[in-house]
Structures are given as structure tokens and as C-alpha cells.
Amino acid sequence: MAQPQKSFDAYFKSAFTVDNVIFGFDNGQLKILLIRRNEAPFDNYWGLPGYFVREGEDLDAAAQRVLREVTGLKDVYLEQVKAFGTPGRHDFGRVITIAYYSLVKVEDFELHAAGVAQEVAWHSVSDIESLAFDHEEIVQVAFHRLKRSIRSRPIGFELLPPAFTLTDLQHLYEAIWELDLEKRNFRKKILSMNLLKDLGRSQKGVAHRPAKLYSFDEGRYRELEEDGFNFELKEGKRK
Amino acid sequence: MAQPQKSFDAYFKSAFTVDNVIFGFDNGQLKILLIRRNEAPFDNYWGLPGYFVREGEDLDAAAQRVLREVTGLKDVYLEQVKAFGTPGRHDFGRVITIAYYSLVKVEDFELHAAGVAQEVAWHSVSDIESLAFDHEEIVQVAFHRLKRSIRSRPIGFELLPPAFTLTDLQHLYEAIWELDLEKRNFRKKILSMNLLKDLGRSQKGVAHRPAKLYSFDEGRYRELEEDGFNFELKEGKRK
DNA sequence: AAAGATAGTGTGAAGTGTACAATAACCAGT
DNA sequence: ACTGGTTATTGTACACTTCACACTATCTTT
């Protein structure tokens, strides 16, 4: 560090954290992973997984670390949402938090408590309340961001297993957008994009006509993207 | 501050700043307001207006303050872009910057040097180079964000004078999206949204048929928004 | 074999996007 | 006053997409 001039010292008194809104899709519902804290402040409150960023640690890396601590996963879809820094949001001093959201496949891991977390659990987005710090606001902003992002980027697949049905995909969109979509039109639209690979397999043992299984064809997406293709879904009406 | 436990002290050694990418639209071109710094680090480099956030100062407020110092304006359109915090991006220690962009009307003020700035000037977005810190990256990210935002929110008007022609508006979109739009279709689309108030006046003294002047009808927009209306423009092809 | 359930398909009407062309209004110079 | 130059504004036909609804297919269970 070159000449840390005396006059600037006063500014180097803050801390910053990352908080990660981890979304999962389970049983037709959009969920968020919360931890029950076991340290001050907000001891015993539910809140977002997050912690102070370490010296020399990049922000994205810190968010990934937090995610790994709770889920054991790495290389997960991650997007920065926004910095929250209202003075007084943290008891210990001036603490800015950089909020992220990530998308994980719920069946990829088992939950296990760790670090600040004495308990970890999935919560429905719709009944989130009394979280630590300003985490409720962060969840709202992240959720809103997710709603927009899945319109213009094929990231919904990050929440689904590698093989899924068109109905699964539709339910995912319906859960995130909080509305109902028209089956026929949704299918036509998504299939017309040529982003899904028909796996040639079907569901087994369901008490009705089995649905075909698809996977997201990432290579294909990159090809199309280079040709100027834009993924884009509309939120219709209804609900 | 309640119990700032000893073990957390080590985290309270960072500083954070705000940097503001101030966009203006002048003469058919999208411009960014840059300052030439007169203090270390990067003394004498061009860079974004920005400074350390003060103790007890909200992030948004800090961004507004920085903007006011350079332009004299307040209550300007402001949007947070992203936090940049790569370790080593600042010589004095760990410094996170929260990047914002704002949209101003260039004719609303005179530029005047102040604070860290020994010189202030508009620069074309297209020829930005060798800025202080990671400001080039910040500009790119902010520009990219602007491109997306003007698609789905009626914020382009923030860059235009209170009365403008449809052609002005089209040129604005063309400058931001860096492509050409089809006149007829652009007009039809924008007029069909019913967001423009026909001022009943026209240009004066132009050597051709004078264009009608419009203003953005913000009240109308809020009404429509409540009815579920969504502002949405597409980037067509071309260029 | 019938009932129950969800998957997958056809289709017409309405609405939008696209491309091009024709007409209108103003200034400057003759 | 008339003409040319220049930009504004409007008409319209065709292609493509969205929307709404109904019908057929396939599998399990009883």
C-alpha cells in the first residue's frame, strides 16, 4: 500500500459483508435458504447466509464461500444484486453488505448447519418475516431481480434437475412470476427457441401419460447467442 | 454501537466510495461526465466523479452529493449499478466502490471544477480510455445496464429537455443502443403507449417541416403502470 | 374395460413487428 | 410566388406472434 495518507485514515473504519439469497425450487414452490443465527447481533433470528468478506478476498469469491459453507456446493450460478449500506443497519459499526442471489438444485445437497448457522432450512418466499438486519428488504430486492432476469436469460434451468419436463419448467416460471401461464403457448414459445434437448426418455410410473424429459442445451444457447439471438419470455396476464 | 466485540475489530479496516457514471445526451451523442483528478492515487488521470462515503451518510445520498458537487444539480435520476471490490483496486487499502449511474439534462447546468476535480468535461462513451482505478470497467457495466434499463423503463426522458421531438427521442435510443431504428415503427410504438403529451407547439426556424414537441407525461405513466402496463421497447436489428 | 389424470397437438382470430412509400410543411434562393 | 432541399408525418400490406380454447394421446388404477 503506497502512502496511506494520514487524512484518509478516518475512512478506513468500515466493514463489509456478503449476503446470499439462495433460491431453490422444490415441489412446485420457490424457496429461499435461511439460517438461524447463533451469534450477536440478532442472535437466534432467521437471516440470510452471509459473513464478513475476508482481507484480500474478492466479493464474488466471498459469496461463493458463504454458499459452499451452507450447501457444500461450488461453481453455482451467482449474481450480484445490490449493495445495502444504510447507516445503522448493523450494531457493530458501519457495515455495508453486498447482496447476491444464487440458484441451486435442491436435490444436489443435504443441508447442514455450520459457522454462524445453528440451523438451516428452506423457507417459502411468500412467508418470510422478521429476518435479521435488513434481510427482508434484501430478499425482496433479490426476488424482484430474479423475476426480471429469468425473462431475458435462460437461468431458470439452474433451479431444475438436469432432466425435466416442460410442465416442470412451466411451474417454475409460474412460481417465480406468481401467475398462471397458458400451457399451449408456453410450450410453443419455449420449444421454438431450440434451447432444449429432447432426451428421448420419459417419466416412469406416473398415473397418466408420461411426459418427455428435456435438458437445457447450453452449447446451443451459446451458438444462438452469437448469432444475435435473445432469450426472452413474456409474463402474460392471469392470476 | 453495542458490544463491538474484540474479534470483529479486524474487519473494520475498510473504506468505501461511490462512483457515479453521469450520462448526458448532447448533439445526438451519448456522453459521460469525467473529471481530471488532482490527488493521489491516479493524480492527473481522468476518472469518474466519486469520493469516500462519509460516516453516517447513506449510499444513495453520497452518490447524489458527488453529483451535486460536479453539476450543481439535485434530485436527479440515480440508479445503483454494482459494487466493485477486487482486492488491490485501490492503493490505500481495501476500498469497495459502489457504482451508480445518473441521467442528466446537459443544458441544465454549467460544468465547474470542484473537490478532487481540477477539470470536468463530457466525453463520448465510445472513446473512453485509461481511466483511474477500474473506472473503465465501471463505465462499461453502467453503460450496459443503461442499455437494458431504457428498454423497460421510461427513463430516456431524463436525458432530454422537457420538450422534445420524436426524432430527438429516436436519436437518443439509437445512440444508447448503437443501432439504427426504423422511423415509422419507432413512432408508432412510442405513441401507442400514450405516454407522451402533445404540447401543441412545434420547432421554430428549422429549414424543413417543423416537428411537433412532446413531453413525457409522468402522471399518465403512473396511472398506466397501476393497470399493469409495462413499458417495453425492443432493440430491432440493423447497423 | 372404464375412469382419472396429465401430456401433447391443431387452429383461427387478434394483435405486433417490419418494410417501404407517399404526402406535408418549412426555409432559402431565385 | 415558385422551386428545390430537407425533415416530419402518415398509410398500408405482409409476415409473424400471441392468445384462447378444444381435442387427442398415453399411462395407471380399479
Side-chain angles (χ1 to χ4, degrees), chain A residues 1 9 11 14 19 33 41 50 66 68 78 100 110 112 134 139 145 147 157-158 186 209 211 219 222:
Chain A
M1 307 188 189
D9 283 1
Y11 292 117
S14 332
D19 283 305
L33 203 50
V66 161
R68 194 169 58 246
L78 190 73
Y100 284 79
E110 301 280 308
H112 56 313
D134 47 5
V139 167
R145 180 72 140 267
K147 284 184 182 184
F157 309 104
E158 303 287 343
F186 179 80
R209 174 172 178 174
R222 272 200 274 272

Side-chain angles (χ1 to χ4, degrees), chain A residues 99-159:
Chain A
Y100 284 79
Y101 77 78
S102 15
L103 307 179
V104 303
K105 309 183 205 304
V106 295
E107 68 282 355
D108 273 4
F109 60 95
E110 301 280 308
L111 299 178
H112 56 313
V116 220
Q118 62 178 252
E119 198 182 337
V120 187
W122 289 107
H123 292 240
S124 268
V125 181
S126 40
D127 45 60
I128 300 282
E129 49 182 20
S130 308
L131 300 187
F133 305 102
D134 47 5
H135 288 184
E136 276 167 77
E137 185 192 354
I138 295 178
V139 167
Q140 288 317 315
V141 175
F143 184 32
H144 186 260
R145 180 72 140 267
L146 175 62
K147 284 184 182 184
R148 295 219 126 239
S149 292
I150 58 163
R151 280 172 51 165
S152 51
R153 256 169 308 166
I155 56 176
F157 309 104
E158 303 287 343
L159 290 163

Side-chain angles (χ1 to χ4, degrees), chain B residues 167 183-184 187-188 207-208 211-212:
Chain B
T167 303
K183 183 165 62 166
R184 182 72 184 103
R187 282 156 179 260
K188 251 194 309 197
H208 55 76
K212 289 204 239 179

Side-chain angles (χ1 to χ4, degrees), chain A residues 66-81:
Chain A
V66 161
L67 183 106
R68 194 169 58 246
E69 278 168 7
V70 187
T71 64
L73 301 175
K74 41 185 184 170
D75 296 327
V76 155
Y77 184 85
L78 190 73
E79 185 176 321
Q80 194 193 111
V81 175

Side-chain angles (χ1 to χ4, degrees), chain A residues 1-3 5 8 11-16 39-40 51-54 56-59 80 82-87 91-96 98 145 148 151-152 232, chain B residues 1-3 5 8 11-16 39-40 51-54 56-59 80 82-87 91-96 98 145 148 151-152 232:
Chain A
M1 307 188 189
Q3 60 239 72
Q5 301 172 18
F8 289 105
Y11 292 117
F12 285 82
K13 298 270 162 72
S14 332
F16 50 95
E39 72 177 41
Y51 207 68
F52 289 98
V53 177
R54 294 181 184 154
E57 186 181 41
D58 199 26
L59 300 178
Q80 194 193 111
K82 190 173 186 288
F84 292 79
T86 310
D91 271 356
F92 290 180
R94 190 71 194 270
V95 180
I96 306 291
I98 317 293
R145 180 72 140 267
R148 295 219 126 239
R151 280 172 51 165
S152 51
E232 193 82 54
Chain B
M1 309 188 189
Q3 60 239 71
Q5 301 171 17
F8 289 105
Y11 291 116
F12 286 81
K13 298 270 163 70
S14 330
F16 49 95
E39 73 177 39
Y51 207 67
F52 289 98
V53 177
R54 294 179 183 155
E57 186 181 41
D58 199 26
L59 300 179
Q80 194 192 110
K82 189 173 186 292
F84 293 80
T86 310
D91 271 355
F92 291 179
R94 190 72 194 266
V95 180
I96 306 290
I98 317 292
R145 180 72 138 269
R148 293 218 128 240
R151 279 172 52 165
S152 51
E232 194 82 54

